[in-house]
Amino acid sequence: MEIKVNESTCTGCSLCKGACLYDAIEIEDGIAVISEACVFCGACVDSCKDESIEIIGLDTEEKDFSDYRGVWVYLEAHGNELADVGLELLSEGRKLADKLKVPLAGIAIGSGIEENSRVAFQYGMDKLYIVDDPVFENNIDDIFSKALVQLISKHKPEIFLAGATSFGRTLVPKVAAILRTGLTADCTGLAIDDDKKILLQTRPTFGGNILATIITRNARPQMATVRPHVMEKKATVADIGDISDKVIKVEIDPKNFKTKYKMLGTETEKGEKINITDYEVIVSGGRGLGSGEKFELLKELADTLSGVVGASRAAVDSGWISYPHQVGQTGKTVNPKIYIACGISGAIQHLAGMQTSDIIIAINKDPNAPIFKVANYGIVGDLFEIIPMLIKRIKDGKPLV
Amino acid sequence: MKIAVCIKQVPGTVDIKIDPETNTLIRQGMENIINPFDTYAVEEGVRIKERLDADEGFMEQSEVIAMTMGPPQAEEMLKEAVASGVDRVVLLSDRAFAGADTWATSVTLAMAIDKLEDVRLVIFGKQTLDGDTGQVGPELAQRMNIPFIGYVSEIMEISARKIKVKRLAEDRYEIFEVRLPAAISVIKDINTPRVPSLRGKMKARSAEVPVWTADDLGADKDELGLSGSYTQVVKIFTPKMVHDVSMIEGTPEEQVEELFKNLKSLNIVS
Ligand SMILES: Cc1cc2nc3c(=O)[nH]c(=O)nc-3n(C[C@H](O)[C@H](O)[C@H](O)COP(=O)(O)OP(=O)(O)OC[C@H]3O[C@@H](n4cnc5c(N)ncnc54)[C@H](O)[C@@H]3O)c2cc1C
Ligand SMILES: Nc1ncnc2c1ncn2[C@@H]1O[C@H](COP(=O)(O)O)[C@@H](O)[C@H]1O
C-alpha cells in the first residue's frame, strides 16, 4: 500500500500540506512530497483540487455480506435497570433500520432484567434477545463479550451499536476483536450511505476539533460505540401490545460463562453522584471558586436543577473536588443539555470535554475568557454574587427586577 | 517481572482549526509529544518495578519496557521514557504499519509483546489524543487472550501471579483481581508522573532505540497497517460551529433575571 502524488498534475499549491494533521507533507521543487509520518488518513486526498493524490494498493475487493442483516443495539443494564443510552440507540437504530428496510433488535444481558427490558419495545424495537442468568449479575466484560459473540455469530446483524460508556468501551472492543471486525469508538453521528448501504460512522477526534467519518470495510458487523446523550431517545410506540413472540430468551449453560475476573468489591463516594455523564444539567466550577468549600454553592445550584457538579482540572488538582468530576481532555467528555461553567477560563483541554453540550452558560469575571467563545449565554460577573442570587430566584420564584 | 508499557507519540495540540477561507488546517505549536495519558502508564510501570524490586519476597529483578508503533521520529519520545525511568525501549517502525486502525495497531503491539517473551503486565494509557478510542488495550488483550481492566486508578496489590486493582466504572469504583499475565489501562488519578532526574536524562541520551520492522515480528503484511485494518477514514472535516454567544448585560439582578428566563424557556426551571 502506498500514497502517491501525481507529479504531472500536482501544482505545489500546498493545500494538502495545510490539510495534513500529521505534518507529513512538504512542498519540494513545486511538488508535494509525503513523508513516513503519513498515516493514510486521506485528509490530503480530499483536500486536493486536482485529484493528484491517491492511496493505492488497498484491497478494494468487495466481499459479499448479504447474509448479514438487521440492526442490533446492546441494551446496557446497571443492576436490573436499562441504561438510557441503549434506548437512545434504539431510536437512532430505528432510523437506520428503516433506511435499510431491515429489522431492529435489542439485546440485553444481566440477572433479573427481563421485566425491565420490555420497556425498550416503546423505542421501536422489533425483537428482543435476552440473556438472563445470575452469572451475569455484575457487568464483567469477558463473559458478556462471550455471550454477545455467540449471538452475533449466530444471527449475523449487519450493524451493532452500543453505548460508549466505560463498560461499553472495554466490552465492545473485545467483541470486535473476537469477531475480527472493525469498531468505531465514541461516535456522535451515524448515517447510511445511499448507494452502498453501508454505515457511515462520524466521530470527533483531536479533542472535538476535527470530525472523521469512518467505514468498516471487509468485515461485518459494522460496529460502533456511541456517546451517551448524543442521540435523542424517543418513545414512539405507546402500546407495545402482545410481545410474547418478539422476546427471545436465550438459554445458556452457566458452566460456560465463568469469568476470569474476581470482583472483590465496589466503592461509591459517600453520597456523591460521580457519574456526571448521566445528568442533563452540569454545574462546573474552576479555579475561580477559590476553595473546596465553595463547591457547596455549586452543589446547591446543581441540586436545584436536578443536575450534578463538574469541575476543571485546576479545581481537581487543587484537591477541591474528586477526579470523577473532572471534565475535559484528561477527564470526562460530557454532553449535557445545559453546562454551566463557573469560574472556568475555558482552556482548550477543558473545552474538549464539554463543547458539544447543547447549551453552554458561562459565568466569569473576565470578559476575555475563552469560555465565552463556546458559550451560548455569557455573564460577565462575580460568580459569588450571581449564583446565590440565581438559586434564590429559582427557589423563591420572585422576579428580581 | 517484565512489564511492557505501550505509549504513542501524538500531535502536541488539540488546538486545530480549519481556516474557513482556504479550508485548510491551522495548527498551532504543532510539535509531537508523548500522549499525555501515557505518561501515567510509564510512571505506573516504573513504580511497580520499584515496588517489586524493594520487595524481599520477590527474587527476580523487574524490567520495564516502553514500546511504540510509529514513525522514526517517535525515537525522541522513547528516549524521554528512559529519562522517566524505563529500562529499555522498542520502536516498531515500518511503512507496512502505517494507516493502522486500533485493531491493526493491537495486532502489531501484540506481536512485539510476544517477541519480548514472558511479559506479565501490559500497561496502556486511557486513550490517545489523536485516535481517542481507548480500544487498543482491550483489543490487544483479547487477541493475546489475557484479562484487561480499563480505567485503573490504583494498583492495590501485585504479586508474581496476581494483580488487584481499583478501577473507575460508570458510577462507582470496582475492585478486581485477575491472574497475570494481564493488561490494564490507567487514568490520571493513579499517580503524578515524576520529573526526569539528571541521571535519567543522561541515561536517555545514550539509550539505544532498537527498531523492529514487520519482518522482525515475522508478520504477514496483510495483517498490518491500513491493509490489516477493518475500519477506514473516508472523510475528515471540522464541526460547524454556528455559534452566537449572547452576552447577558446589566446589573447582576438584571443578569440573573434574564438568565432565569432563558432557563425557563429551556424548561430547566419552572
Ligand atoms: C495535557 C493536558 C491535559 C489537560 N486536561 C484538562 C482537563 O481534562 N480538564 C481541564 O479542565 N483542564 C485540563 N487541562 C488544564 C487546562 O489547560 C487549564 O489549566 C485548566 O482547565 C484551567 O482551569 P480553570 O479554568 O478552572 O482555571 P483558570 O484558567 O485559572 O481560570 C479561572 C477563571 O475563573 C475566573 N474567575 C475567578 N474568580 C471569579 C469569580 N469570583 N467569578 C467569576 N469568575 C471568576 C477567572 O476570570 C478565570 O477565567 C489540561 C492541561 C494539559 C496540559
Ligand atoms: N501506535 C501505538 N503504539 C503504542 N501504543 C499505542 C499506540 N496506539 C495506542 N497505544 C496505546 O493504547 C492506548 C489507547 O489508545 P487509543 O485506542 O488510540 O485511544 C494508548 O494510551 C497507548 O497506551
Side-chain angles (χ1 to χ4, degrees), chain A residues 119-192:
Chain A
V119 59
F121 280 101
Q122 293 178 4
Y123 298 84
M125 176 174 76
D126 300 313
K127 215 185 235 181
L128 170 67
Y129 292 92
I130 192 140
V131 186
D132 201 329
D133 191 281
V135 295
F136 299 110
E137 186 188 339
N138 285 308
N139 283 355
I140 295 187
D141 51 36
D142 61 344
I143 51 175
F144 276 63
S145 61
K146 196 167 176 183
L148 285 171
V149 165
Q150 287 184 1
L151 283 164
I152 293 172
S153 309
K154 184 164 171 205
H155 300 283
K156 296 189 170 17
E158 60 199 292
I159 292 174
F160 179 91
L161 308 174
T165 58
S166 57
F167 182 57
R169 287 184 78 163
T170 48
L171 168 70
V172 190
K174 292 186 178 184
V175 176
I178 302 172
L179 293 170
R180 296 288 149 96
T181 187
L183 170 61
T184 306
D186 216 14
C187 295
T188 53
L190 296 171
I192 301 291

Side-chain angles (χ1 to χ4, degrees), chain A residues 18-19 21 36 39 166 169 203 205 209 211 213 217 261-262 264-265 267 326 329 374-376 378 393 400, chain B residues 14 25 30 37 95 99 130-133 148 170 173 175 177 188 226 230 234-235 237 243 246 248 257:
Chain A
L21 291 165
E36 295 223 326
V39 303
S166 57
R169 287 184 78 163
R203 66 182 303 266
T205 174
N209 288 296
L211 291 173
T213 301
R217 54 182 201 102
Y261 299 63
K262 205 153 127 210
L264 299 173
E267 276 175 27
Q326 184 182 319
Q329 191 183 300
V374 301
N376 301 79
R393 174 67 184 88
L400 295 166
Chain B
V14 289
L25 291 163
M30 188 83 158
F37 292 105
R95 259 336 254 160
D130 56 346
D132 214 353
T133 79
F148 173 86
E170 222 63 53
Y173 289 93
I175 296 161
E177 185 179 86
K188 178 192 143 226
L226 190 50
Y230 293 119
V234 290
K235 193 171 145 204
F237 55 106
H243 202 87
S246 95
I248 301 176
E257 190 59 32

Side-chain angles (χ1 to χ4, degrees), chain A residues 286-287 312-313 326-330 343 345 349-350 364 382-383:
Chain A
R287 185 148 31 213
S312 74
R313 174 166 168 178
Q326 184 182 319
V327 172
Q329 191 183 300
T330 41
S345 61
Q349 296 90 351
H350 187 79
N364 195 307
D382 181 355
L383 73 94

Side-chain angles (χ1 to χ4, degrees), chain B residues 73-215:
Chain B
Q73 61 263 36
E75 188 187 297
E76 274 314 302
M77 169 193 71
L78 289 172
K79 290 198 166 180
E80 281 168 35
V82 172
S84 303
V86 312
D87 298 296
R88 62 185 171 109
V89 297
V90 181
L91 171 59
L92 310 172
S93 197
D94 192 314
R95 259 336 254 160
F97 300 151
D101 71 353
T102 58
W103 170 250
T105 302
S106 66
V107 166
T108 312
L109 294 175
M111 285 181 189
I113 288 170
D114 279 341
K115 189 173 154 79
L116 286 172
E117 288 184 353
D118 207 27
V119 169
R120 305 288 288 165
L121 181 66
V122 189
I123 310 178
F124 293 89
K126 174 180 159 233
Q127 63 199 57
T128 52
L129 281 194
D130 56 346
D132 214 353
T133 79
Q135 283 175 189
V136 170
E139 288 184 336
L140 174 137
Q142 187 59 54
R143 182 176 165 106
M144 299 188 65
N145 206 11
I146 59 175
F148 173 86
I149 303 177
Y151 311 107
V152 169
S153 65
E154 187 186 340
I155 310 251
M156 303 173 81
E157 280 167 32
I158 180 161
S159 69
R161 293 165 167 277
K162 290 189 291 200
I163 185 168
K164 182 170 151 190
V165 301
K166 184 154 127 182
R167 70 122 179 186
L168 182 59
E170 222 63 53
D171 52 0
R172 60 181 187 186
Y173 289 93
E174 294 169 346
I175 296 161
F176 278 109
E177 185 179 86
V178 292
R179 282 174 175 280
L180 298 178
I184 60 172
S185 77
V186 299
I187 54 177
K188 178 192 143 226
D189 231 13
I190 196 164
N191 59 43
T192 309
R194 70 195 67 188
V195 180
S197 64
L198 202 61
R199 222 179 102 233
K201 283 187 190 157
M202 301 276 283
K203 209 175 135 209
R205 217 171 295 154
S206 57
E208 262 182 68
V209 181
V211 179
W212 292 357
T213 62
D215 286 342

